[in-house]
Amino acid sequence: MTVEVTGAAAVGERASDPDLLYSEAEEDLRAAVRSLLAARAEPAAILGRIETGDPYDPALWRALATDMGTAGLLVPEKLGGQGASAREAAVVLEELGRAAVPAPYLTSAVLVVETLLGCEPEASEEPEAPEVARLLASFASGRTVGALALPLPTGPGSALACEVRVAADGTLEGGARRVADAAGAHTLLIPARGPEGVELYAVDTSAAGVTVSPLVSLDLTRPLADVAFAGVRGRRLAGPGVAEAAVRRALLAGAGLLASEQLGVAEWCLSETVRHMGERKQFNRPVGSFQALKHRLARLWLDIVSARATARYAADALASGSADAPVAVAVAQSACSKAAVRAAEECVQLHGGIGMTWEHPAHLYLKRAKADEIALGTPSHHREILAELVNLPSPTAG
Amino acid sequence: MTGIDAAELRRRVTELLAAHDPATTDRTAFLQARFDAGLAWVHFPAGLGGLDAPRALQAVVDAELEAAGAPDNDPRRIGIGLGMAAPTILRYGTEEQKRRFLRPLWLGEEVWCQLFSEPGAGSDLAALATRAVRDSRGDWVVDGQKVWTSSAHLARWAILIARTDPDVPKHRGITYFVCDMTAPGVEVRPLRQITGEAEFNEVFLTGVRIPDNHRLGEVGDGWRVAQTTLMNERVAIGGGRVPREGGLIGLVAETWRERPELRRHALHQRLLELWAEAEAARLAGERLRQQLVAGHPGPEGSAMKLAFARLNQEISGLEVELLAEDGLLYDDWTMRRPEHVDFAGREAGYRYLRAKGNSIEGGTSEVLLNIVAERVLGLPSEPRTDKDIPWKELAR
């Protein structure tokens, strides 16, 4: 089944008039993703896979990414995608967060795809364009899974910690630490320092000289690996200037859309905790009737109301190419990181003893929330960026 | 509901403007003509300032009239009448009451106030103790004390709830009245606040006579009538779009930009966190506004008051600390009677003190959190000991 999605903002909205609601098409997409995940990614199934070293369910990815077409939401139709926007991808991520699903959506369908979209796939005079377009189409179909070879904590607006260099013979040397979803990827996009600046290469993980070393990750649903390259011959996708701008574009989109995943994490934690507290009885009454606990849940709900508005604004700003997107993303990361971590921590505490068990899925959300807080820039990183963007300089600046 | 649409309303506004050019028409005469044309509040009935049109279309009329430079009825001055008294009178008033009260209320000729809260009945409003006793002629005699009454010193009328039956549980023995603020026995005293000024009053009612035809709704049904009033208090929030840095955060941000010598690292972290939180709250307000426009009001309205109360307090607290030695000063302790709260027109110390009221007025944050938990999240209520006990036996 392919879900029909239409382009960016609702009809009649001006670019300067952000649409913070969900359109009917977006709600349809949400319902389709949610029902797929309810059937195929229930917590017991996820708990059963996360310790196998391969947490991904390939059949689920095929259904989600290929059959429903969600891997190509950000890619224009003429390049083999669905021609939707960040608004729709945000809805998919919300649902993936709500179910704490191990799936390489953020890494392959957002970070990798956005990097390639920044590499001018339609500039026919560029020699790299056909390869960029070929890769883009294969990631958009979901048949190939990719990862961007940068440390997961790299946020938009920071200097690229690029530890791969292009040797004199054109091969790649070096590596990248803490790369998300690298172990399951077919292809890596590698920013590499050349003589005139950062260039971008594509390398298959099966190629000679590539080593992918899985790490023991805090969040087992988004496993990390260190990757190393020794004399690896890659396909060049972009030269200096273009490559760095493409990576920065991807990091901004990734951070902005991660906010929606965090929103989904927070929403599950709140609704599951509310459900539990309505059922669990102590002292001859539901524990949810105690005011001290009720207020904690009401405050979480408040955080989520604000977080949802910031996540929607970030998605809309990315979709419309708004000049305000960097501010929108920094605000969304600040709000949604906090909302997700707080909701997951409260979820564990308010479940009491059961919240500390491996059997209950609360820990999946706590680990995802805490890892997401660091991914694509910590909240403090995003607030430092904000300080520059909105002219609130630090005491030492200037 | 009549078939009046936006185009028809625009036509009627054009007609009104043609017959009563705002440039040459006296303000009162223009407002009267607007009321009589049904363009005051279009969702009200014909003959009472409206046209039975959808409420959302009022925005069309307001925009057209504002663009034409027409005078308005100074809604901030008569907010309680417009936002609380009028919808209640419309819903529960007799035909005679509607004709008598609504027109001068909307025109601003008669200011209204609200006699609900009491020293012993704040969050637990239904516990109120002001008594209304029927006399031999069937009229009512009221004795008691009300508090936190804004505009009482300007008001011609009040909406009043009083206990008419102490022998039944508290929610059932209350009746709703319109009280003449010029009647003998009504005494209004300013209530000076921690800011030095007095926005509010205490109102003492001693043997105040209210004719039975100034009762709104049935005897003993006052709690239900009051729900209409209180619900409309919350609807009144919302309104227009707020720009970035439109709230108190904008004032601190300006100070930070203009006075580098005040900057400290720890304050910078707090400022950035609050800036991001204020922007998030602003976006949540904008999202709520879009939901209302789309015809899908969400429960987020109650979130906004909670969020802004906390933010205003934290931001103004940061502002005073940031100002350091200037934070030790206060602009003016003179006892004054302001007509509305003016955060931006006063200094940081005033903002810090006045913001303390944001988590108390219009429902304390603690009560609002209960409401969110029970009505939005559906959590069970606390076991209650007061529901079935006659009011006179309650602990006080």
Side-chain angles (χ1 to χ4, degrees), chain A residues 291-315:
Chain A
Q291 197 177 43
L293 306 185
K294 250 191 236 184
H295 282 193
R296 287 168 69 161
L297 290 175
R299 287 205 182 87
L300 271 190
W301 180 78
L302 285 185
D303 284 357
I304 291 175
V305 166
S306 280
R308 186 181 297 117
T310 66
R312 274 282 87 185
Y313 180 49

Side-chain angles (χ1 to χ4, degrees), chain A residues 7 77 224 227 362:
Chain A
E77 281 176 284
L224 304 176
V227 294

Side-chain angles (χ1 to χ4, degrees), chain A residues 140-158:
Chain A
S141 74
R143 290 195 179 84
T144 309
V145 171
L148 179 62
L150 278 180
L152 182 60
T154 312
S158 52

Side-chain angles (χ1 to χ4, degrees), chain B residues 54-77:
Chain B
R55 183 178 185 145
L57 291 180
Q58 185 64 41
V60 174
V61 173
D62 292 346
E64 294 279 317
L65 288 173
E66 197 190 325
D72 67 16
N73 58 350
D74 197 0
R76 275 213 295 194
R77 184 175 150 263

Side-chain angles (χ1 to χ4, degrees), chain B residues 298-376:
Chain B
E300 287 86 348
S302 39
M304 300 320 302
K305 181 180 180 290
L306 280 161
F308 282 115
R310 185 182 64 79
L311 280 169
N312 282 353
Q313 291 173 354
E314 290 194 21
I315 292 167
S316 58
L318 174 70
E319 186 182 23
V320 172
E321 187 180 341
L322 171 67
L323 287 168
E325 61 175 42
D326 289 345
L328 291 170
L329 305 180
Y330 192 77
D331 55 1
D332 185 3
W333 291 116
T334 311
M335 155 70 187
R336 289 186 293 181
R337 309 293 323 246
E339 283 199 8
H340 39 73
V341 183
D342 183 11
F343 272 115
R346 298 286 302 267
E347 299 291 323
Y350 171 86
R351 287 191 275 278
Y352 173 68
L353 295 173
R354 183 59 186 83
K356 295 293 169 234
N358 291 162
S359 55
I360 302 169
E361 57 202 344
T364 65
S365 289
E366 287 71 20
V367 165
L368 289 180
L369 287 169
N370 283 348
I371 291 175
V372 166
E374 291 173 19
R375 301 203 195 147
V376 181

